Amino acid sequence: MKLAVIGTGYVGLVSGVCFSDLGNDVTCVDHAAGKIHMLQQGEVPIYEPGLKELIKKSTDAGRLRFTTDLAAAVRNADVVILAVGTPSLPNGEANLSYIMEAAREIAGAMNGFKVIATKSTVPVGTNEKLESLIRQHSSHSFAIASVPEFLREGSAIRDTMNPDRIVIGTESQQARELLTALHQPLTDRILLTDVRSAEMIKYASNAFLATKISFINEIANICEKVGADVTRVAEGMGYDKRIGSSFLKAGIGYGGSCFPKDTEALIQIAGHVDYDFKLLKSVVEVNRDQRFNVIRKLETILGDLSGTTIAIWGLAFKPETDDVRDAPAYEIMASLIERGAKIKAYDPVAADNFQSNLKHSRISYCLSAQEAALGADALCVLTEWREFQLIPLAAIQTWLKKPNLIDGRNIYSEEELAGTEFVYYSVGRPNMSKGVREQIPFLSF
């Protein structure tokens, strides 16, 4: 099948590469000439394990190409996949200007019947607007479909090639058959539905997962008060098939390009139909507050943070990605700067992306975990990179000026801490707290 994928961000690039690996002829399109040149040279503008190798495999086989020429790609395609960004506007609504502009260009390039499948996350009713817009600018027949993506950064290839389900929302039988055939090699769990339901499935799924994260973080905060261990609580909850174990890991909250954007957008969608989504508003509030518990812990241990040096390990919103969009580290580091602290920060792959968005005279971006920790008054682990877990705590203790460790991702075990002198706090595990526990029996994290 011949595909044109419009947009080479995470969704578009990974989708296009994976479809080409399945034997389809794929052209990925982007207006950013620099990005396209990089891809044509075999370089990848995002960090995603395995993606570079898969791109080389498909380009060498002649099944995958990259271009800025949208018109040529559309004319040659049976299916046009829309995967352009829909970032948040200041009021939380999705910015649809990019996808609307792409639709206009597609309409102008059409030379016959096309299936136009939207993978971008868009508010309910957007595909109908796209259909109307394309119809205004083209006399050719076409079919619109909503095919939301559910990949996770850091495991995007595995998620794309082994999906839990494929959702296809369309009113066209021809589009339904074509898109089913395209996705059939991936899974037989294909849900065929109407367009609006498909659009809503994406938002509802992300909102529910964000709710699970905020819920377990609230449980962790209570565990700190009552002396329970949130990891055991989550384990016990997860055995219940009605609940499941995924997204029940307590920490400093979610970030990234999807959950923050999609929860805010769904709140706005509800508001437009005069519905006050109180639960989701609370989820967002809990998540925003959770990251500041790192600051509260530091102040508990060190008092006034002015003049202190704080080491930060992890800037990406999650491991195995260089994506720093809405990463908790931004607000945590901004709060430290406000309090007069100096920061030494390190991330295995995301430091450049992060530094381009946050520069300050009191922030030093380091080239290694050791460099960041050396001479610091405390270390805060904000991303659970495996590299950090492999560093012996005994070594970390020698690097720090003071053995203060805030584990925002619960990466260390009781056995690892045994025999160390760390003043240690994690998330929802009060019995793991060491150092000043007698002075502060239960600390709300």
Side-chain angles (χ1 to χ4, degrees):
M1 203 173 295
K2 294 181 178 180
L3 311 179
V5 180
I6 315 302
T8 58
Y10 260 99
V11 175
L13 186 56
V14 173
S15 297
V17 171
C18 288
F19 278 130
S20 67
D21 190 57
L22 294 174
N24 298 287
D25 184 87
V26 179
T27 302
C28 292
V29 182
D30 204 294
H31 282 323
K35 183 188 287 189
I36 290 299
H37 178 72
M38 179 184 292
L39 288 164
Q40 289 171 338
Q41 301 304 309
E43 298 300 319
V44 185
I46 58 175
Y47 179 83
E48 183 63 36
L51 187 58
K52 184 175 183 178
E53 294 78 10
L54 213 54
I55 288 175
K56 185 179 188 310
K57 176 184 173 183
S58 289
T59 51
D60 286 351
R63 296 190 302 267
L64 178 65
R65 63 198 63 83
F66 304 96
T67 183
T68 58
D69 192 343
L70 182 146
V74 169
R75 285 194 294 267
N76 188 53
D78 304 308
V79 177
V80 179
I81 296 175
L82 270 170
V84 299
T86 54
S88 294
L89 292 168
N91 65 356
E93 292 183 5
N95 183 349
L96 300 179
S97 61
Y98 303 111
I99 197 167
M100 290 299 180
E101 179 56 33
R104 287 189 192 92
E105 292 189 50
I106 291 168
M110 284 167 55
N111 58 346
F113 178 80
K114 310 289 178 185
V115 171
I116 301 170
T118 303
K119 277 195 170 290
S120 303
T121 302
V122 295
V124 178
T126 300
N127 277 282
E128 293 172 10
K129 294 177 182 177
L130 293 174
E131 183 175 16
S132 176
L133 179 63
I134 294 170
R135 206 172 297 285
Q136 291 173 27
H137 292 83
S138 177
S139 59
H140 293 285
S141 61
F142 65 96
I144 285 284
S146 174
V147 188
E149 56 77 24
F150 301 98
L151 61 82
R152 298 166 297 173
E153 295 178 26
S155 60
I157 293 173
R158 182 171 69 249
D159 291 347
T160 301
M161 301 299 272
N162 302 280
D164 293 327
R165 79 291 203 193
I166 297 293
V167 176
I168 299 172
T170 184
E171 312 306 324
S172 164
Q173 183 61 31
Q174 193 171 354
R176 192 174 292 122
E177 292 174 357
L178 201 62
L179 292 172
T180 297
L182 176 63
H183 291 90
Q184 201 93 55
L186 300 175
T187 181
D188 57 1
R189 295 186 296 273
I190 298 177
L191 173 64
L192 301 174
T193 185
D194 61 281
V195 174
R196 288 195 168 216
S197 294
E199 291 170 329
M200 190 63 177
I201 285 168
K202 171 64 174 181
Y203 279 109
S205 297
N206 279 357
F208 183 76
L209 295 177
T211 299
K212 287 188 76 173
I213 294 170
S214 285
F215 179 83
I216 200 62
N217 281 334
E218 288 279 72
I219 293 296
N221 294 340
I222 297 171
C223 285
E224 289 281 355
K225 300 287 188 179
V226 301
D229 185 332
V230 73
T231 58
R232 303 313 302 272
V233 173
E235 181 183 6
M237 291 170 61
Y239 282 122
D240 189 324
K241 294 179 181 178
R242 299 168 301 174
I243 298 173
S245 60
S246 62
F247 291 85
L248 287 181
K249 187 175 181 181
I252 55 175
Y254 59 76
S257 62
C258 291
F259 287 180
K261 175 174 71 73
D262 293 351
T263 49
E264 292 286 0
L266 186 51
I267 289 169
Q268 291 298 319
I269 291 169
H272 286 319
V273 292
D274 198 28
Y275 185 81
D276 186 9
F277 204 153
K278 296 176 183 177
L279 175 60
L280 196 54
K281 288 179 178 178
S282 295
V283 167
V284 172
E285 181 183 353
V286 167
N287 187 69
R288 188 176 294 120
D289 188 63
Q290 188 71 11
R291 54 194 61 180
F292 293 113
N293 283 331
V294 170
I295 304 298
R296 298 180 191 115
K297 290 288 189 178
L298 286 171
E299 289 178 329
T300 295
I301 297 170
L302 299 173
D304 184 2
L305 298 181
S306 179
T308 62
T309 299
I310 308 299
I312 299 291
W313 280 3
L315 302 172
F317 84 95
K318 62 178 286 188
E320 300 302 327
T321 181
D322 62 352
D323 195 342
V324 297
R325 286 175 287 184
D326 204 46
Y330 280 119
E331 290 179 292
I332 291 170
M333 289 170 62
S335 294
L336 289 172
I337 291 170
E338 287 176 6
R339 288 162 171 77
K342 297 179 181 178
I343 300 169
K344 298 173 70 181
Y346 169 73
D347 188 283
V349 302
D352 288 345
N353 286 351
F354 196 94
Q355 185 174 2
S356 67
N357 294 309
L358 183 60
K359 295 179 181 178
H360 196 278
S361 60
R362 290 206 294 274
I363 301 177
S364 299
Y365 289 95
C366 302
L367 298 178
S368 69
Q370 180 177 1
E371 182 187 351
L374 278 174
D377 295 295
L379 167 63
C380 300
V381 179
L382 305 185
T383 312
E384 61 272 36
W385 285 98
R386 179 155 177 76
E387 174 184 332
F388 304 154
Q389 300 175 50
L390 295 176
I391 301 173
L393 282 171
I396 298 172
Q397 185 175 308
T398 64
W399 298 341
L400 292 168
K401 179 181 178 181
K402 299 176 182 177
N404 297 318
L405 177 55
I406 308 295
D407 182 1
R409 298 296 184 181
N410 288 353
I411 69 172
Y412 298 112
S413 67
E414 191 170 1
E415 291 74 23
E416 290 173 303
L417 284 163
T420 70
E421 299 177 2
F422 278 107
V423 175
Y424 175 84
Y425 289 108
S426 55
V427 184
R429 303 186 298 173
N431 293 331
M432 293 275 292
S433 299
K434 291 184 57 180
V436 294
R437 191 176 168 213
E438 289 183 6
Q439 297 165 275
I440 310 160
F442 299 113
L443 294 171
S444 179
F445 202 117

Coordinates of all heavy atoms in Angstrom, one line a residue, residues 5 16 30 51 70 86 92 98 102 117 172 197 210 215 218 228 266 284 308 331 341 373 376 391 398 409 422 427 429:
V5 N 2.8 10.1 4.9 CA 2.6 10.5 6.3 C 3.0 12.0 6.5 O 4.2 12.3 6.2 CB 3.5 9.6 7.2 CG1 3.3 10.0 8.7 CG2 3.2 8.1 7.0
G16 N 5.2 6.0 10.2 CA 5.7 5.8 8.9 C 6.8 4.7 8.8 O 6.8 3.9 7.9
D30 N 7.5 16.6 5.7 CA 7.6 17.7 6.8 C 8.1 19.0 6.1 O 8.9 18.9 5.2 CB 8.6 17.3 7.9 CG 8.3 18.0 9.2 OD1 8.4 19.2 9.2 OD2 7.9 17.3 10.2
L51 N 14.9 3.1 16.5 CA 14.3 3.8 15.3 C 15.4 4.1 14.2 O 15.0 3.9 13.0 CB 13.8 5.2 15.8 CG 13.0 6.0 14.8 CD1 11.8 5.1 14.2 CD2 12.5 7.3 15.4
L70 N 5.0 17.9 -0.2 CA 3.7 17.3 0.2 C 2.9 16.9 -1.0 O 2.3 15.9 -1.0 CB 2.9 18.3 1.1 CG 1.6 17.8 1.7 CD1 1.4 18.3 3.1 CD2 0.4 18.2 0.8
T86 N -0.6 19.1 17.5 CA -1.8 19.9 17.9 C -1.5 20.4 19.4 O -2.1 19.9 20.3 CB -3.1 19.0 17.9 OG1 -2.9 17.8 18.7 CG2 -3.5 18.6 16.5
G92 N -5.6 26.0 27.1 CA -5.7 24.5 27.3 C -6.3 23.8 26.1 O -6.2 22.6 25.9
Y98 N -2.2 23.9 12.6 CA -1.3 23.2 11.8 C -2.0 22.1 11.0 O -1.7 21.8 9.8 CB -0.2 22.5 12.6 CG 0.6 23.5 13.4 CD1 0.5 23.6 14.8 CD2 1.4 24.5 12.8 CE1 1.1 24.6 15.6 CE2 2.1 25.4 13.6 CZ 2.0 25.4 14.9 OH 2.7 26.4 15.7
A102 N -2.5 21.7 6.9 CA -2.1 20.5 6.2 C -3.2 20.0 5.4 O -3.0 19.5 4.3 CB -1.6 19.4 7.2
A117 N -6.5 9.7 6.9 CA -6.6 9.1 8.3 C -5.9 10.0 9.3 O -4.7 10.3 9.1 CB -6.0 7.7 8.3
S172 N -17.1 5.6 6.1 CA -16.8 5.1 4.7 C -16.5 3.6 4.8 O -15.5 3.2 5.4 CB -15.7 5.9 4.0 OG -15.2 5.2 2.9
S197 N -16.6 8.9 18.1 CA -16.2 8.0 19.2 C -14.7 7.7 19.2 O -14.1 7.6 20.2 CB -17.0 6.7 19.1 OG -18.4 6.9 19.3
A210 N -3.9 9.2 33.3 CA -3.5 10.3 34.1 C -4.2 10.2 35.5 O -3.5 10.5 36.5 CB -3.8 11.6 33.4
F215 N -4.0 9.3 41.2 CA -4.6 8.6 42.3 C -3.6 7.9 43.2 O -3.6 8.0 44.4 CB -5.6 7.5 41.8 CG -6.3 6.7 42.9 CD1 -7.4 7.2 43.6 CD2 -5.8 5.5 43.2 CE1 -8.0 6.4 44.6 CE2 -6.3 4.7 44.3 CZ -7.4 5.2 44.9
E218 N -1.7 10.3 45.3 CA -2.5 10.7 46.5 C -2.4 9.6 47.5 O -2.3 9.9 48.7 CB -3.9 11.0 46.1 CG -4.1 12.2 45.3 CD -4.2 13.5 46.2 OE1 -3.1 13.9 46.7 OE2 -5.3 14.0 46.4
A228 N 2.3 3.3 55.8 CA 2.2 2.2 54.8 C 3.2 2.4 53.7 O 3.7 3.4 53.5 CB 0.8 2.1 54.3
L266 N -9.3 18.0 27.2 CA -10.6 17.3 27.5 C -11.4 18.2 28.5 O -12.6 18.2 28.4 CB -10.4 15.9 28.1 CG -11.6 15.1 28.3 CD1 -12.5 15.0 27.0 CD2 -11.2 13.7 28.7
V284 N -5.4 17.0 37.4 CA -4.4 18.0 36.9 C -3.8 18.7 38.1 O -2.6 18.9 38.2 CB -5.0 19.0 35.9 CG1 -4.1 20.1 35.6 CG2 -5.4 18.2 34.6
T308 N 22.6 26.7 48.8 CA 22.9 25.3 48.7 C 23.1 24.9 47.3 O 22.8 25.6 46.3 CB 21.7 24.5 49.3 OG1 20.6 24.7 48.5 CG2 21.5 24.8 50.7
E331 N 9.7 22.8 36.6 CA 9.1 23.5 37.8 C 9.9 23.3 39.0 O 10.1 24.2 39.9 CB 7.7 23.1 38.0 CG 6.7 23.6 36.9 CD 5.3 23.2 37.1 OE1 5.0 22.0 36.9 OE2 4.5 24.1 37.3
A341 N 19.0 28.5 45.3 CA 19.9 27.4 45.3 C 20.7 27.4 43.9 O 20.2 28.0 42.9 CB 19.1 26.1 45.4
A373 N 26.8 15.3 40.8 CA 26.7 15.0 42.2 C 27.8 15.5 43.1 O 27.7 15.8 44.3 CB 26.6 13.5 42.4
A376 N 27.7 18.3 46.0 CA 26.3 18.8 46.2 C 25.8 18.6 47.6 O 26.2 17.6 48.2 CB 25.4 18.2 45.2
I391 N 24.5 2.8 39.4 CA 25.6 3.4 40.1 C 25.5 3.0 41.6 O 24.4 3.2 42.2 CB 25.5 4.9 40.0 CG1 25.7 5.4 38.5 CG2 26.6 5.6 40.8 CD1 25.4 6.9 38.3
T398 N 30.1 9.1 48.4 CA 31.4 9.8 48.4 C 31.5 11.0 47.5 O 32.3 11.9 47.8 CB 32.5 8.8 47.9 OG1 32.3 8.4 46.5 CG2 32.6 7.5 48.8
R409 N 11.6 8.8 42.2 CA 11.0 7.7 41.4 C 11.1 6.3 42.0 O 10.9 5.3 41.4 CB 11.8 7.7 40.0 CG 11.6 9.0 39.2 CD 10.1 9.2 38.8 NE 10.0 10.4 37.9 CZ 8.8 10.8 37.4 NH1 7.7 10.2 37.8 NH2 8.7 11.8 36.7
F422 N 23.0 7.7 54.1 CA 22.1 8.6 53.5 C 21.0 9.1 54.4 O 20.4 8.3 55.1 CB 21.5 8.0 52.2 CG 22.4 8.1 51.0 CD1 23.1 6.9 50.5 CD2 22.7 9.3 50.4 CE1 23.9 7.0 49.4 CE2 23.5 9.4 49.3 CZ 24.1 8.2 48.8
V427 N 9.0 8.2 47.7 CA 7.6 8.6 47.6 C 6.7 7.5 48.1 O 6.7 6.4 47.6 CB 7.3 8.8 46.1 CG1 5.9 9.3 45.9 CG2 8.3 9.7 45.4
R429 N 6.9 5.8 50.9 CA 7.6 4.6 51.6 C 8.2 5.2 52.9 O 9.5 5.2 53.0 CB 8.6 4.0 50.7 CG 8.1 3.5 49.4 CD 9.1 2.7 48.6 NE 10.3 3.5 48.2 CZ 11.4 3.0 47.7 NH1 11.5 1.7 47.4 NH2 12.4 3.8 47.4

